[in-house]
Amino acid sequence: MAAAGAVTTVAASYVPRTRDSFLHLLSKAVTLSHLTELHAQLLHNGFQSDIATTTKLTHRLFDFSAVHHARSLFFSFPEPDRFLCNVLVKGLASNESPRSAIAAFKRLRERKSIDLGPDNFTYAFVIPAAASVGDVKVGISLHGQVIVGGFCSDLFIGSALIDLYFKLGRDDMARKVFDEMPERDAVLCNTMVSGLGRSSRFEDSIGIFRRMVSGDEMQMSNVSPNPVTITSILSACAQLGALSLGQWVHGLIKSNKFDSNIYVSTALIDMYAKCGSIVEARRLFESIPNKNDVTWNAMISGYGLHGHGQEALKLFHEMVSSGTPLTRITFLSILHACSHSGLVKEGEQIFKSMKRDHGFEPISEHNACMVDILGRAGKLKEALDFIEGIPGDPGTPIWSTLLGACMVHKDTNVARMASEKLFESDPGNMGYYVLMSNIYSSDKNYPGAAFVRQVAKKRNLSKTPGCTLIEIHQKPHVFKAGDWSHPLSRAIYAELERLNGKMKEAGYQAETMTSLHDVEEEEKELMVNVHSEKLAIAFGLLSTEPGTEIRIFKNLRICLDCHTASKYISRVTQRVIVARDANRFHRFEDGVCSCGDYW
DNA sequence: GTCGACGTGC
């Protein structure tokens, strides 16, 4: 503390200092004004051409984002060496100036006469810069230079290259770099695990994780999962809905004493909530002593996902009184919870208080939430008024939200208006054409529906195929629409047939007929085909004891017919069915869904 | 005097 005090007084400037004491003070500085003061003292003490202190000062200035100051210090130094140049490249790269970092790197390479050629550090700094701007040409050129320079076995560079190739969308190259590393450490493996996860290649990602756990490969003999690995894997479990794997990882967390890591415990809450175990998520939440904003947000959004709007509101108010700083994501989470539960008044109040009491100017996503809240509740006129009140261009997500609400409430006029904006701003997105065509169909405007589909076809767009996952005895089974690839297909279709009879007796009517008119043959076939949700549910019924809860996961939003069918199935079989779709959870019990038919 | 990977909202 004495040191920190000294640098803030002007009198101290006249005390002669040694290089070591300056280096120490530079590392300790906690504010930018400390650094500015130290810079003045360095000049007073004749250190302007001392490279070690100049390097440290440049580094620390970048730490405080004083990019301009750091830059001019660098350029005022007569003969920078490679070390100082590396600090410049790193500083620029980590201060949202990756393009300047690349430019600086190129200038250095051109001046190789004074032995400023890049070393392993330079590449470890400049490759992430190329990755963050997504520059394929520069990225590949850097990889080439790494090979020529003989830096291939450097672990820092290896991780940077793996991350680069994932960011460029070249998963196979990332894999190649990983496979060819003579030795691997935890960070290198984690880069691979999280990169594969971001590319939705979960099985591959889990494969690397398993190899880290088993530890019987020469190249990874000293590598075992750490908290970073664990959070990446939990995030994969959450996206996959892989509860049993998540539980197994939870065991690993306990035996490795990673419980106290806040990243790990927050990821666990998120995993349990997204895998359908909201009660377990809350139990864990309560057991965490050092909750931060992200922990609270994860729990609030978990309640939102399950349609437990009141619980989400209670927790939100507890968060406010706990003194935890609220963030934009807190408001997104609570507003989503309101929209999923139809809490219009509460949502409006929170939206107002966000700006008034907490000083957050709404960004596009908050506005989209409000449109969602109003639109889902059928207040399309209010939603339109709200959109008109948004300064500037409301943006694609808002029109897309409004279009979704039009589908639920069958409003063709507002839908036409929203879709025109969307076709203009995002013409390559098939989802909008499908929605608009369905809206026309449900209004019996078949020429309109056919026209929209034709436009989509001319633009060569195709639908994301729907699929549903169900985990039986810790093994995942994935079904597509009309799937016959499962070994038990005969039994599954027979079970569906049997269910259909019982459901019809109970009053079920298929809801697909309205959209069957005037569609292309290929598409008609797809619509007549049994949806993947039903196949997964039938398989679940066959494979589990009576009374067991059935949990399924759908990659898209659940369709109206499958939603209705699931309600009937839950009644005629007396089973609870929990379905997670792309948006939220549905819990079907005795003919009723927890979403209140509101999704 | 200089290096990397993780959790919350769509």
Side-chain angles (χ1 to χ4, degrees):
Chain A
M1 283 321 286
V7 298
T8 56
T9 61
V10 177
S13 329
Y14 301 105
V15 179
R17 292 188 183 282
T18 62
R19 170 197 271 178
D20 277 355
S21 77
F22 268 126
L23 289 175
H24 179 77
L25 291 171
L26 284 165
S27 327
K28 284 278 149 99
V30 289
T31 65
L32 187 55
S33 59
H34 282 174
L35 285 180
T36 317
E37 177 65 22
L38 280 167
H39 191 184
Q41 288 188 37
L42 279 165
L43 298 178
H44 269 292
N45 286 274
F47 279 93
Q48 49 270 47
S49 50
D50 180 69
I51 199 153
T53 45
T54 303
T55 304
K56 190 72 184 175
L57 177 59
T58 311
H59 179 211
R60 296 293 286 145
L61 284 167
F62 275 121
D63 282 350
F64 289 99
S65 300
V67 179
H68 188 73
H69 190 164
R71 248 199 152 108
S72 59
L73 180 62
F74 175 89
F75 286 108
S76 69
F77 198 83
E79 278 183 39
D81 64 357
R82 178 193 283 145
F83 207 139
L84 180 51
C85 292
N86 286 346
V87 168
L88 175 74
V89 173
K90 185 210 169 199
L92 292 173
S94 53
N95 272 285
E96 291 171 4
S97 320
R99 288 181 200 283
S100 335
I102 294 166
F105 171 82
K106 284 182 177 164
R107 277 200 305 276
L108 295 177
R109 287 203 78 217
E110 286 155 13
R111 284 168 33 189
K112 46 181 170 271
S113 55
I114 34 174
D115 193 28
L116 284 178
D119 63 2
N120 53 333
F121 280 87
T122 328
Y123 287 111
F125 297 144
V126 74
I127 293 169
S132 75
V133 294
D135 192 322
V136 181
K137 246 178 90 177
V138 170
I140 289 174
S141 155
L142 288 171
H143 189 182
Q145 293 170 44
V146 164
I147 295 169
V148 173
F151 298 119
C152 279
S153 56
D154 185 289
L155 286 164
F156 286 86
I157 294 177
S159 301
L161 282 171
I162 290 171
D163 192 54
L164 164 78
Y165 281 119
F166 277 120
K167 290 198 172 127
L168 296 177
R170 300 180 167 227
D171 301 11
D172 292 344
M173 277 306 293
R175 180 99 219 185
K176 192 167 179 297
V177 172
F178 179 79
D179 287 341
E180 288 175 1
M181 287 300 286
E183 219 180 327
R184 304 189 185 116
D185 67 357
V187 177
L188 192 96
C189 296
N190 289 347
T191 310
M192 200 62 204
V193 168
S194 84
L196 287 165
R198 289 200 305 266
S199 308
S200 299
R201 290 176 57 173
F202 300 115
E203 312 321 44
D204 290 339
S205 174
I206 291 162
I208 306 277
F209 172 64
R210 289 194 193 284
R211 285 163 67 187
M212 292 172 80
V213 176
S214 81
D216 46 30
E217 278 171 62
M218 277 289 278
Q219 290 151 313
M220 339 192 356
S221 54
N222 288 319
V223 181
S224 52
N226 65 18
V228 178
T229 330
I230 298 285
T231 43
S232 292
I233 284 298
L234 286 174
S235 148
C237 293
Q239 287 182 64
L240 276 174
L243 179 63
S244 64
L245 179 62
Q247 285 167 326
W248 183 77
V249 174
H250 193 174
L252 205 72
I253 290 167
K254 286 181 191 159
S255 55
N256 282 286
K257 307 250 186 297
F258 292 152
D259 320 52
S260 56
N261 180 302
I262 191 65
Y263 278 77
V264 169
S265 43
T266 302
L268 262 178
I269 290 176
D270 183 55
M271 184 277 292
Y272 277 116
K274 287 191 177 144
C275 289
S277 303
I278 190 72
V279 177
E280 181 62 18
R282 179 61 191 252
R283 204 190 58 72
L284 260 162
F285 177 81
E286 291 304 331
S287 75
I288 298 174
N290 54 337
K291 301 182 202 36
N292 63 18
D293 54 331
V294 184
T295 319
W296 286 89
N297 294 348
M299 194 64 231
I300 292 172
S301 93
Y303 277 132
L305 216 53
H306 284 261
H308 298 181
Q310 293 299 346
E311 287 296 330
L313 278 170
K314 254 170 72 185
L315 207 63
F316 172 76
H317 290 120
E318 269 180 53
M319 181 180 179
V320 174
S321 27
S322 77
T324 313
L326 308 185
T327 66
R328 293 198 150 77
I329 293 182
T330 310
F331 285 99
L332 281 176
S333 308
I334 188 65
L335 289 172
H336 276 126
C338 289
S339 88
H340 284 316
S341 301
L343 301 172
V344 181
K345 242 183 33 226
E346 292 83 347
E348 284 178 322
Q349 275 169 7
I350 286 176
F351 187 82
K352 274 189 201 135
S353 118
M354 174 172 84
K355 191 176 169 184
R356 191 190 54 213
D357 307 327
H358 303 278
F360 288 107
E361 202 61 48
I363 57 171
S364 154
E365 286 93 335
H366 296 115
N367 290 327
C369 277
M370 271 319 291
V371 172
D372 199 35
I373 288 175
L374 295 167
R376 276 175 203 256
K379 298 173 183 287
L380 292 169
K381 170 83 175 62
E382 284 92 329
L384 267 177
D385 289 346
F386 180 87
I387 293 174
E388 271 170 26
I390 298 171
D393 176 17
T396 310
I398 282 169
W399 294 115
S400 148
T401 304
L402 187 66
L403 187 63
C406 293
M407 177 68 206
V408 177
H409 297 284
K410 315 232 188 308
D411 189 318
T412 318
N413 290 329
V414 178
R416 196 178 293 127
M417 191 179 141
S419 67
E420 270 167 22
K421 304 269 185 194
L422 290 165
F423 294 155
E424 203 176 289
S425 66
D426 193 5
N429 192 322
M430 180 63 182
Y432 307 138
Y433 297 87
V434 174
L435 260 179
M436 195 59 220
S437 152
N438 288 346
I439 293 170
Y440 277 134
S441 293
S442 64
D443 196 36
K444 300 197 172 23
N445 179 349
Y446 305 119
F451 178 74
V452 172
R453 266 196 296 270
Q454 224 162 39
V455 174
K457 199 171 184 180
K458 264 191 203 143
R459 294 186 182 172
N460 258 329
L461 305 177
S462 58
K463 261 190 197 173
T464 309
C467 62
T468 303
L469 176 141
I470 183 166
E471 202 180 277
I472 298 289
H473 308 309
Q474 311 197 347
K475 202 177 157 238
H477 300 256
V478 180
F479 293 90
K480 289 177 293 212
D483 205 335
W484 277 91
S485 64
H486 197 278
L488 295 178
S489 287
R490 276 172 172 280
I492 292 169
Y493 280 89
E495 172 70 6
L496 263 181
E497 199 60 38
R498 201 182 64 80
L499 280 172
N500 254 326
K502 284 191 148 187
M503 285 153 61
K504 278 182 186 151
E505 274 172 35
Y508 166 71
Q509 278 185 316
E511 308 219 24
T512 50
M513 293 318 287
T514 47
S515 39
L516 279 180
H517 300 267
D518 212 27
V519 297
E520 302 287 331
E521 273 313 306
E522 193 186 330
E523 208 168 331
K524 192 184 280 186
E525 194 186 329
L526 196 71
M527 288 169 140
V528 178
N529 266 336
V530 184
H531 276 179
S532 56
E533 294 93 315
K534 291 185 186 170
L535 294 173
I537 292 173
F539 175 60
L541 289 170
L542 285 174
S543 320
T544 54
E545 294 296 314
T548 315
E549 192 174 289
I550 307 263
R551 292 166 186 244
I552 62 167
F553 297 83
K554 168 101 198 262
N555 64 335
L556 308 173
R557 275 173 68 166
I558 191 166
C559 82
L560 181 61
D561 177 54
C562 286
H563 193 267
T564 308
S566 303
K567 289 198 284 186
Y568 278 97
I569 296 174
S570 74
R571 173 176 291 167
V572 300
T573 61
Q574 280 303 297
R575 295 268 202 134
V576 171
I577 300 168
V578 177
R580 192 189 110 186
D581 72 8
N583 260 353
R584 59 167 295 152
F585 276 97
H586 303 262
R587 189 172 190 279
F588 302 95
E589 185 169 11
D590 200 23
V592 181
C593 180
S594 62
C595 78
D597 300 337
Y598 189 90
W599 80 98

